[in-house]
Amino acid sequence: MMYTISELQQLYDQWISGQTSRKDKFAVSFYGSNHHQPYIFCGLNSLKMYIGKKIFQDKEIAYIHYLQKEGGKLIFCDGFIKFLSELTFDLKIESLSEGSLFFQGQPILKVEGLKCILSFFKGVISYYLPREIFIATEIEKIASFIAPVPVI
């Protein structure tokens, strides 16, 4: 995954001030282009594959460790780098069932966990859910279009 220096700096500020153990939660609603069309919920399996996994892989940790400020000074201290290397997507997710129909604006997902982790998981959600929901909904539209219509 990709993270900006700004996101890492925000997390570093939380870590320095001892705020990384604060819990939070958020709900996700989906908004598409058609207000009256139902959408098909899918993508939960893609999200679940992240649960319990490390947020930062070893290569990312090595890169973060060697980021230098002007003048050769490390941006982050070793304690913070160790914190990042142990950080996992330890979250509680409640959602609609895969394949459920929902309408725009309806909450489809609730996520709880450490606030510092939630900010990274929002990136995962924004990558997977819209794409998979649109694909499933478009496939359903095509299937209903080519399905034989009963003749009376």
Side-chain angles (χ1 to χ4, degrees):
M1 299 198 71
M2 294 185 56
Y3 308 103
T4 65
I5 295 294
S6 175
E7 288 173 311
L8 291 173
Q9 189 62 52
Q10 288 174 0
L11 182 56
Y12 187 58
D13 293 343
Q14 290 175 13
W15 182 78
I16 293 274
S17 63
Q19 296 180 3
T20 53
S21 60
R22 292 177 52 202
K23 292 195 174 199
D24 203 359
K25 57 185 168 183
F26 67 88
V28 176
S29 298
F30 182 81
Y31 292 90
S33 59
N34 188 335
H35 302 290
H36 306 291
Q37 165 190 326
Y39 293 92
I40 299 170
F41 179 73
C42 60
L44 184 60
N45 290 333
S46 296
L47 297 179
K48 283 185 174 180
M49 73 181 189
Y50 283 88
I51 301 302
K53 302 274 170 103
K54 285 184 171 184
I55 295 176
F56 297 94
Q57 303 307 312
D58 293 339
K59 288 181 181 180
E60 294 169 316
I61 293 295
Y63 178 73
I64 292 167
H65 192 269
Y66 291 102
L67 286 173
Q68 302 285 330
K69 275 189 175 180
E70 221 174 289
K73 191 175 180 184
L74 287 175
I75 297 173
F76 306 115
C77 69
D78 289 339
F80 179 67
I81 302 294
K82 183 176 186 310
F83 168 76
L84 290 180
S85 70
E86 297 170 350
L87 205 55
T88 61
F89 284 114
D90 187 17
L91 303 166
K92 178 183 174 190
I93 297 178
E94 294 177 19
S95 72
L96 297 175
S97 301
E98 291 272 346
S100 297
L101 292 179
F102 68 93
F103 287 91
Q104 179 166 276
Q106 176 183 347
I108 57 174
L109 189 69
K110 293 179 185 175
V111 184
E112 291 182 41
L114 295 178
K115 188 174 184 173
C116 64
I117 296 172
L118 291 177
S119 62
F120 291 107
F121 199 64
K122 286 177 184 177
V124 172
I125 289 171
S126 65
Y127 177 76
Y128 281 107
L129 281 188
R131 182 178 60 155
E132 294 195 22
I133 288 171
F134 273 127
I135 290 170
T137 302
E138 291 304 311
I139 289 172
E140 176 59 28
K141 278 194 228 170
I142 292 168
S144 64
F145 178 75
I146 61 175
V149 178
V151 178
I152 298 179

